[in-house]
Amino acid sequence: MAISQTRAAAISSIGIRALSYFFLRWALLPFGPALIFTLFAIYLPTFVSGFRKEPKYNLVDEVDVVVTETTIRDENAEGADSPGAPTPSGNEKVIAEQVDVQETISIEKRPMHALRTLLSGAPNPRSLALSALTFLINAALVGFVADRLFRERYYGAEDLSFARVGYVGEHEAKLLIREPDQTKMPINVQIHLKDPQPPFDNPLWQSVGGVRWTGNETDYTAVVTVPLRNSGQRTYEWKTSNNHTGEFTTPPKVGSAFETGEGPFTFLSTSCIVSRLPYNPADHPLAIPGMRHLAKVLPSLGAQFMLFLGDFIYIDVPRYWAKSTEEYRKKYRQIYASPDWQAVGQNLSWIHVLDDHEIQNDWSANTTGVYQNAIDPYNHYHAAANPPLAKKAGALSARSGATYFEFTQGPASFFLLDTRTYRSNNKIAFTDDAKTMLGAGQLEDFIAWLRRPEPKGVKWKIVASSVPFTKNWGVNTQDTWGGFLTERKRILEAMWDTASRGIGVIVLSGDRHEFAATKFPPPMNTTWPETATVFEFSASPLSQFYSPVGTYRQRDSEDVEIKYINKGNSKFGAITIENLEGGDHSSLKYRLFVDGEEVWNTVVLSPPVVIEDVRPAIAAGSWWERLFAWRR
């Protein structure tokens, strides 16, 4: 019985250690803690019982058997009476055997097997110290799992006060402020130029707006739109009366990649954040390791903004605690309360796209169910500080109820897709003509944006999609554009049309916790030239698990692999655009950073004009552009 208890303790111990390592270092799977706690409930009594009842000594039973044979010679054998004559062996006969059995019973100490004890977690009756140590290893692992699961629950950050930079355009900037302390009201916002050039620039701080009060209906957040009166690409410092400070840089004018004295136009792209993975017991409960990697290289990048492609929160990791609006709000507050946030968010504009984990894993139920609870904090913390809503096709204003965005900065125009609010059920067949990810309205507006002529000098259209455009990911393909092939084909054709007119199309995506660069060449023997190829760069996570086994594989000539990297808990891309001499062509350089180190890069050139656009582009700086510049 004691032996079976020890064996049960060893088996449950191995399970605890394997699952704990996986949960704490690889992936915070929701079912992990329940299994680990169950195994520990088995381990504890079997360990104690095995230690108390398993004998410390081995019983050794030795048996010695001695066989004695008695032989005689045949007296009648020839030569038997001759002295000294040899006796033929055939004349010897055995007439008796005597068997003597001797049994010795002794007790000896069992082998120590110290290493086996420490590795298996089984009790060792010979050593209390070894048994205690191996038990404490398992208890510590269970404690770490409990710490990761429960400790952050006590950091609701209800009193969180912070301010961050949202969208920054040529003529305005958005500042998101959260302040629950009403004694700090009203909040005044001031800005001034960081590098004023006398005698024309005003070096003094100027009040540019503020917040009169905040309330629970917005989780005590408010957005201040800051007017920017100085022309050109300038850096401003800002401060609020509730003691928050930072800075931001306005973008280059539309059609320009950089101005004299400024670097090329650079922005960042990634997605997916969870705290404390890989787990370190010394970390703050809200620590985000990936943000430390970003903070390390951020000063050298000169980035204009972060284009964050969804899964800013994981409502269902490490456990789906509740479906209330307050639970979703708490997740946002915890990210912004992280000690690692300020280094990457205080002086960098963050622009956001919605994805499933802000709602629920693999969400495809439109605005039903938990959607309304989930979208509440997303709107307050992210959408409110985002760029302008996308224009309705054929109109100058946004479609009513739209949840997707567009803007133009420097040499590129951007469209931020909403891939969750309008999509059909993921389980519908991939090739169903009625299946949609974008919905009819968004699809129409998106294709109109693709076809829209751009001001001179704008050489790129950048599409932000929370899920990969390629179908090369074989795991959970139905949640990507690979599950919406009919709609994807229509979009690709519009993209090839755009590229044929000399505007390069780049898709940026995340979601998969891996990196892949893919190109989508137009079909052969069509009116689209090879130079109209569309490119996708899919990079994630900023701070999450990665798949140790590759899940991306090229399957046909439609989606062509350029580069694939699955390893790394932190990945983000830095995209740098430069208009080449003369302004007719442009280069886009993509640099991939994994765990804070640049590991790969490539350069894409803007395509030549093959099909002339009969609609004239709006010249940068024209009265039309100036009239609607506030919309950018």
Side-chain angles (χ1 to χ4, degrees):
M1 180 63 178
I3 300 298
S4 63
Q5 294 289 326
T6 300
R7 185 177 293 110
I11 294 172
S12 58
S13 171
I14 293 170
I16 289 170
R17 295 181 181 192
L19 288 172
S20 296
Y21 179 82
F22 188 84
F23 180 78
L24 296 172
R25 303 296 298 180
W26 282 100
L28 300 171
L29 298 179
F31 60 81
L35 285 177
I36 293 167
F37 297 152
T38 299
L39 287 172
F40 191 70
I42 297 171
Y43 175 73
L44 180 59
T46 55
F47 181 92
V48 173
S49 176
F51 180 79
R52 293 180 59 188
K53 296 181 180 180
E54 188 170 350
K56 299 180 181 179
Y57 300 91
N58 288 332
L59 183 65
V60 180
D61 187 0
E62 297 181 352
V63 178
D64 294 328
V65 179
V66 179
V67 179
T68 304
E69 295 181 348
T70 303
T71 62
I72 62 172
R73 290 183 299 174
D74 187 349
E75 296 294 339
N76 298 321
E78 182 180 354
D81 294 333
S82 302
T87 303
S89 58
N91 294 329
E92 293 182 351
K93 295 182 179 180
V94 177
I95 63 172
E97 286 186 350
Q98 182 179 351
V99 180
D100 186 12
V101 179
Q102 295 181 353
E103 183 178 12
T104 304
I105 298 176
S106 61
I107 297 176
E108 65 180 27
K109 291 183 177 180
R110 300 179 63 179
M112 186 67 72
H113 294 311
L115 185 60
R116 182 192 300 175
T117 299
L118 294 176
L119 292 178
S120 69
N124 188 331
R126 277 204 58 195
S127 174
L128 176 61
L130 282 174
S131 297
L133 181 57
T134 199
F135 177 85
L136 288 175
I137 291 173
N138 286 341
L141 289 174
V142 174
F144 292 155
V145 171
D147 172 66
R148 179 60 191 86
L149 180 63
F150 295 111
R151 192 173 168 203
E152 71 177 13
R153 297 285 299 164
Y154 296 98
Y155 288 79
E158 290 85 358
D159 60 347
L160 171 66
S161 174
F162 81 100
R164 76 165 182 91
V165 180
Y167 170 71
V168 178
E170 291 185 58
H171 306 288
E172 67 176 25
K174 293 182 179 181
L175 199 64
L176 174 72
I177 298 174
R178 185 181 193 272
E179 181 55 77
D181 186 355
Q182 299 304 298
T183 64
K184 302 286 182 66
M185 299 298 166
I187 297 173
N188 182 43
V189 178
Q190 294 182 308
I191 66 168
H192 79 154
L193 287 168
K194 185 178 181 180
D195 54 347
Q197 302 297 317
F200 302 105
D201 291 339
N202 183 358
L204 302 178
W205 287 94
Q206 302 174 61
S207 294
V208 290
V211 180
R212 296 180 61 186
W213 68 80
T214 57
N216 185 58
E217 63 275 7
T218 62
D219 202 24
Y220 302 98
T221 64
V223 172
V224 177
T225 299
V226 178
L228 305 175
R229 298 181 176 88
N230 297 88
S231 61
Q233 193 171 12
R234 308 298 295 273
T235 298
Y236 293 84
E237 293 180 319
W238 58 267
K239 65 180 180 180
T240 66
S241 57
N242 60 336
N243 298 321
H244 298 296
T245 61
E247 63 181 53
F248 59 83
T249 301
T250 56
K253 65 182 181 180
V254 172
S256 172
F258 60 89
E259 294 186 357
T260 303
E262 301 291 343
F265 182 74
T266 298
F267 64 96
L268 310 178
S269 174
T270 186
S271 71
C272 306
I273 295 175
V274 296
S275 60
R276 286 207 295 177
L277 186 74
Y279 174 82
N280 183 339
D283 275 345
H284 187 280
L286 303 180
I288 302 173
M291 286 187 176
R292 298 175 203 159
H293 293 306
L294 174 59
K296 182 175 69 173
V297 299
L298 190 57
S300 65
L301 297 177
Q304 190 69 39
F305 56 84
M306 166 64 81
L307 183 54
F308 199 83
L309 300 172
D311 292 344
F312 186 79
I313 68 165
Y314 273 71
I315 190 63
D316 45 2
V317 174
R319 181 178 175 182
Y320 204 161
W321 294 100
K323 299 181 179 181
S324 65
T325 299
E326 172 55 27
E327 187 66 25
Y328 282 90
R329 288 179 172 185
K330 178 190 290 186
K331 284 286 189 176
Y332 285 85
R333 294 197 301 265
Q334 287 174 332
I335 298 294
Y336 287 119
S338 170
D340 300 309
W341 162 255
Q342 191 168 22
V344 300
Q346 201 72 0
N347 300 324
L348 178 67
S349 164
W350 282 58
I351 299 169
H352 290 271
V353 170
L354 179 70
D355 201 19
D356 57 335
H357 287 283
E358 279 102 345
I359 310 169
Q360 189 173 307
N361 187 39
D362 292 347
W363 183 257
S364 61
N366 306 128
T367 59
T368 63
V370 76
Y371 178 89
Q372 296 302 329
N373 290 346
I375 206 66
D376 171 271
Y378 173 81
N379 285 336
H380 299 320
Y381 282 94
H382 290 170
N386 256 3
L389 293 171
K391 300 181 184 71
K392 181 180 178 180
L396 296 176
S397 59
R399 187 182 298 270
S400 176
T403 57
Y404 39 94
F405 309 88
E406 68 166 277
F407 64 100
T408 303
Q409 286 190 357
S413 179
F414 297 80
F415 198 103
L416 281 56
L417 297 171
D418 181 348
T419 66
R420 294 294 170 184
T421 303
Y422 311 97
R423 74 159 61 193
S424 304
N425 193 295
N426 284 343
K427 296 180 181 179
I428 298 175
F430 291 10
T431 55
D432 190 315
D433 290 344
K435 191 177 183 182
T436 176
M437 182 180 289
L438 303 183
Q442 182 179 194
L443 178 62
E444 182 184 9
D445 298 345
F446 177 45
I447 290 181
W449 171 81
L450 284 171
R451 292 173 175 169
R452 187 184 307 154
E454 295 293 344
K456 183 180 180 181
V458 175
K459 296 298 182 180
W460 300 95
K461 285 185 182 281
I462 310 293
V463 180
S465 172
S466 65
V467 295
F469 200 64
T470 178
K471 61 180 184 296
N472 284 349
W473 263 291
V475 177
N476 201 23
T477 308
Q478 70 272 13
D479 193 56
T480 72
W481 279 99
F484 298 78
L485 294 179
T486 300
E487 188 170 66
R488 191 186 87 138
K489 180 181 178 182
R490 181 180 173 187
I491 292 171
L492 269 174
E493 290 173 351
M495 290 177 170
W496 292 327
D497 283 343
T498 299
S500 298
R501 297 193 300 271
I503 305 293
V505 180
I506 303 292
V507 180
L508 299 176
S509 63
D511 182 68
R512 306 306 291 189
H513 303 191
E514 300 171 280
F515 169 80
T518 310
K519 64 180 181 180
F520 308 89
M524 298 182 65
N525 303 318
T526 62
T527 58
W528 298 296
E530 186 179 354
T531 55
T533 296
V534 174
F535 293 84
E536 177 184 30
F537 299 101
S538 183
S540 65
L542 178 59
S543 193
Q544 243 284 24
F545 76 88
Y546 69 88
S547 172
V549 179
T551 62
Y552 175 99
R553 182 173 61 86
Q554 181 177 332
R555 291 167 170 79
D556 53 39
S557 59
E558 294 179 351
D559 299 28
V560 180
E561 176 183 346
I562 300 173
K563 184 68 174 179
Y564 171 60
I565 298 175
N566 61 309
K567 295 183 179 180
N569 289 106
S570 178
K571 305 183 190 75
F572 67 89
I575 301 93
T576 299
I577 301 175
E578 295 185 79
N579 282 351
L580 304 180
E581 187 175 355
D584 293 331
H585 298 284
S586 177
S587 68
L588 183 148
K589 183 176 183 180
Y590 187 95
R591 290 178 287 167
L592 174 66
F593 291 82
V594 177
D595 296 335
E597 302 292 335
E598 183 175 347
V599 298
W600 182 79
N601 66 74
T602 190
V603 175
V604 180
L605 298 179
S606 61
V609 176
V610 177
I611 302 174
E612 291 289 348
D613 197 327
V614 296
R615 297 163 298 179
I618 302 170
S622 68
W623 68 270
W624 183 268
E625 184 192 21
R626 290 195 298 271
L627 178 62
F628 293 103
W630 62 274
R631 310 192 65 83
R632 301 191 189 279

